[in-house]
Amino acid sequence: MGRAKRDMEEREAAQARKVNYLKEAKGYEECVECTELFISPHGSLICDKCFGEKMRKE
């Protein structure tokens, strides 16, 4: 049980480091709707997919 928990924590930490690297070094943003990473040319807070879904609903 302890080993599995440690492995899961290590995977989560590695994922967090990867996301942090992409955000800081590569200029990615995290969508506030779906938490997907995307490159925002206009400084938007939501990705194109979520934006399209919001526009179709209205």
Side-chain angles (χ1 to χ4, degrees), residues 17-29 37:
R17 285 191 298 272
K18 177 183 173 186
V19 167
N20 192 34
Y21 169 75
L22 288 173
K23 288 168 96 175
E24 289 183 7
K26 300 292 184 178
Y28 281 77
E29 297 290 331
L37 292 175

Side-chain angles (χ1 to χ4, degrees), residues 4-32:
K5 184 177 179 181
R6 193 171 347 121
D7 288 346
M8 185 177 69
E9 289 174 351
E10 288 175 7
R11 281 193 301 273
E12 289 175 353
Q15 179 67 19
R17 285 191 298 272
K18 177 183 173 186
V19 167
N20 192 34
Y21 169 75
L22 288 173
K23 288 168 96 175
E24 289 183 7
K26 300 292 184 178
Y28 281 77
E29 297 290 331
E30 190 170 4
C31 178
V32 296

Side-chain angles (χ1 to χ4, degrees), residues 10-58:
E10 288 175 7
R11 281 193 301 273
E12 289 175 353
Q15 179 67 19
R17 285 191 298 272
K18 177 183 173 186
V19 167
N20 192 34
Y21 169 75
L22 288 173
K23 288 168 96 175
E24 289 183 7
K26 300 292 184 178
Y28 281 77
E29 297 290 331
E30 190 170 4
C31 178
V32 296
E33 295 287 323
C34 66
T35 66
E36 186 174 311
L37 292 175
F38 69 102
I39 293 180
S40 175
H42 308 292
S44 63
L45 297 175
I46 61 174
C47 64
D48 290 338
K49 183 178 81 173
C50 292
F51 181 76
E53 289 176 10
K54 282 189 170 284
M55 295 308 292
R56 275 184 264 147
K57 289 180 183 176
E58 295 178 2

